[in-house]
Amino acid sequence: MKKSIIEKVWDRHVVYQEENKPDLLYIDLHYIHEVTSPQAFEGLREKGRKVRRPEKTFATMDHNVPTVNRYQITDEIARKQLTALEKNCTEFSIPLADLDSPEQGIVHVIGPELGLTKPGMTIVCGDSHTSTHGAFGTIAFGIGTSEVEHVFATQTLWQTKPKTLKLEINGELGSGVTAKDVILYVISKYGINFGTGHIIEYCGNVIRNMSMEERMTVCNMSIEGGARAGLVSPDETTFSYLKGRKHVSTGVDFEKDTKEWSALASDEGAVYDTEIVIDGSEISPMVSWGTNPGMASPIDGNVPKAGNDEAGEKSLQRALDYMGLTAGMSISDIPVQHVFIGSCTNSRIEDLRQAAEFVKGNRVIDGVRALVVPGSQSVKKQAEEEGLDKIFTEAGFEWRESGCSMCLGMNPDVVPAGEHCASTSNRNFEGRQGTGARTHLVSPAMAAAAAIHGRFVDIRKAGGSTETAELAF
Amino acid sequence: MKPITVYKGKAAVLDRANVDTDQIIPKQFLKRIERTGFGEFLFYDWRFDEDGNEREDFELNQPQNKNAGILIAGENFGCGSSREHAPWSLQDYGFDIVIAPSFADIFQNNCLKNGMLPITLTKDKVSYLMNNAGNDQLTIDLREQTVIDNKGLSTSFDIHPYWKEMLLNGWDEISITLQYSPQIDEFEKSERPISTI
């Protein structure tokens, strides 16, 4: 039978199957962080249980950590959570990339970077953006804290096999259109729950031509379309990214592994529960205007005039009230006071290069505060070696230490109430970046351009830095 | 976990679609390392103004919606972040049952793991319940898989037999899974090299 990669990976991880029960699925890799793990460790202690496979578990500190003066954590409760993680990892022998480690960073940035994430794996983490790791041909999904505890104790989860959704993006992307725009376009077109109950397989020419970092951006936001997981069949791009990374095999073993990984790719003619085909050339640079990631328009578009139905109208009105926008206004008229380049969606080296290209030789406009938060210490180091930090700081950006930062504002990086932020993160929910904060999701290039202009501009009309500067006058 | 069999109680109505877990429990309350005590922060930014006073226009602050054990909400309830603090806060506030036309996957799982019952009904039935819930008592019978009101509505709902059994008995899932240790051992023995770090 022809099988998709989703079925191949799933089937080889089923430990136990019985009618009227979900499958007992083996978990190859469990990432943890400080926010969703403490109660799970406490649960183990209460029952006298152990972590079954600590070596299949990897911890880091990312959600809470300050991005300046990171050792001076003034928030007492946040500090307690970080200390708890340290203590728990020691007690249960779990490897931890703490604040002193050169490997520290956002869990979904460092996992791939270290070569921990590998094709064919099942991966979980108490974080919904675990879908990021699907870029490597893994089944990777977010779980709650009870499930974290369950994986600690058993290295398995009871899971009902999700439906499969093939999302094919063909054609060519226009210039200035990035992976972020692709996924924002998909969600704005099909809604924030089109993927509920499904695992998405992204395929087609546009996905094939993407780098691993771009594929991660797409898979990362699968959850914003309702899908717990989204993945891409591994190919040469995957293998050359993995080659030479710390936890990846070498020499003959690597060749053997790549053979196995290649075999995971979906068979020609595999059958899916749902199929969607998109023409990549339809996609423009996107900007979210509302309070969920589906509420987004092309840069040359407008905020909608009216909802599709009564419920839609109500949601639209609520969103516009919160965002302080008027129905029908041009996207390019939305003012921007904050710019955040970072998060597990867009904080990797290619993202920073993309943004730096627009920043080079320009200044952050007066009245805008702009932040770059690299996804990991290793991304930060590489960017500094390439001189990107200078480009950003000379233009007036703040250059920070790695962490989740302003994506969810659990650390001191927050957007004040009523102010607009061009953000390369993944969620524009009410209050996400701070109580009353108004988030607009965009690509790194669009965020960089917004920092220079104080509003959203069509980067297609401003190819590189010189043109951007001209556009400013 | 407390078993659920038959539940009789009042329902509160939150007629909003796509209620995300950032609204259910805003991030500033995720720093606690306990599972308890989240109820007072439920829907915090919707419930309270800058000074910490209740906002009169928020549904759950209105008298007809107070002291309810069932929450009726719009579609795609619980979307977004995987934070289990969302069901913890709903349960701690007093909601053991949520009825909606659809739920986000992770949130639904998180409810079930905490002995909470998410019930999916058609949009029409949910809007009927929203319009009629008022001061009515609803009866939720998990064994029979029915929702009954005192105006004559009696409707059934689906639930996976696995979860039904877990909830009816209030079982601890990990204890059950540990009974499958021989199968897990066996699986690990046959592990392919591909599955290791």
Side-chain angles (χ1 to χ4, degrees), chain A residues 26 39 49 52-53 55-56 75 81 145-146 149-150 158 197 228 318 408 410 430-432 434, chain B residues 16 22-23 27 30-31 34-35 46 80 84 105 109-110 162 172 175 177 185 188 191 195 197:
Chain A
Y26 195 77
Q39 293 88 349
R49 290 170 178 152
R52 183 183 171 95
R53 300 294 298 268
E55 78 283 9
K56 286 176 180 283
D75 181 339
Q81 220 170 39
T145 299
S146 294
E149 187 180 336
H150 193 280
W158 294 98
R228 280 179 93 180
R318 275 193 57 83
L408 82 167
M410 277 191 76
E430 287 182 34
R432 173 85 178 176
Chain B
R16 303 188 191 204
D22 271 80
Q23 306 318 313
K27 77 281 179 149
L30 304 186
K31 294 173 192 165
E34 301 85 21
R35 272 176 200 255
W46 285 353
E84 196 162 317
D105 290 337
N109 262 327
N110 284 342
Y162 173 80
D172 164 37
S175 309
T177 311
D185 291 342
E188 286 183 333
E191 252 180 301
S195 303
I197 288 180

Side-chain angles (χ1 to χ4, degrees), chain A residues 337-384:
Chain A
Q337 294 93 20
H338 298 263
V339 171
F340 170 61
I341 297 174
S343 88
C344 59
T345 314
N346 283 125
S347 64
R348 298 179 181 84
I349 192 70
E350 289 174 16
D351 299 315
L352 303 193
R353 287 182 194 140
Q354 188 194 108
E357 195 190 323
F358 281 86
V359 169
K360 200 170 184 173
N362 289 307
R363 288 285 312 162
V364 171
I365 199 168
D366 283 350
V368 169
R369 174 201 188 204
L371 246 68
V372 184
V373 182
S376 68
Q377 288 304 92
S378 147
V379 169
K380 180 172 183 259
K381 188 164 162 263
Q382 186 170 351
E384 287 169 355

Side-chain angles (χ1 to χ4, degrees), chain A residues 30-33 37 41 57-60 85 89 94 107 125 148 152:
Chain A
H30 186 192
Y31 291 118
I32 62 169
H33 60 82
S37 66
F41 282 114
T57 316
F58 191 88
T60 192
L85 182 66
C89 287
I94 293 169
V107 63
C125 175
V148 170
F152 278 159

Side-chain angles (χ1 to χ4, degrees), chain A residues 362-418:
Chain A
N362 289 307
R363 288 285 312 162
V364 171
I365 199 168
D366 283 350
V368 169
R369 174 201 188 204
L371 246 68
V372 184
V373 182
S376 68
Q377 288 304 92
S378 147
V379 169
K380 180 172 183 259
K381 188 164 162 263
Q382 186 170 351
E384 287 169 355
E385 280 164 12
E386 294 179 19
L388 303 183
D389 59 323
K390 293 274 178 318
I391 295 177
F392 286 117
T393 50
E394 279 166 14
F397 277 83
E398 296 172 38
W399 180 250
R400 298 292 190 86
E401 303 283 343
S402 53
C404 298
S405 177
M406 204 183 259
C407 172
L408 82 167
M410 277 191 76
N411 74 346
D413 306 333
V414 292
V415 177

Side-chain angles (χ1 to χ4, degrees), chain A residues 439-460:
Chain A
T439 303
H440 301 277
L441 305 175
V442 287
S443 71
M446 287 287 288
I452 295 156
H453 298 280
R455 60 183 179 84
F456 295 107
V457 293
D458 194 339
I459 54 166
R460 291 172 300 185

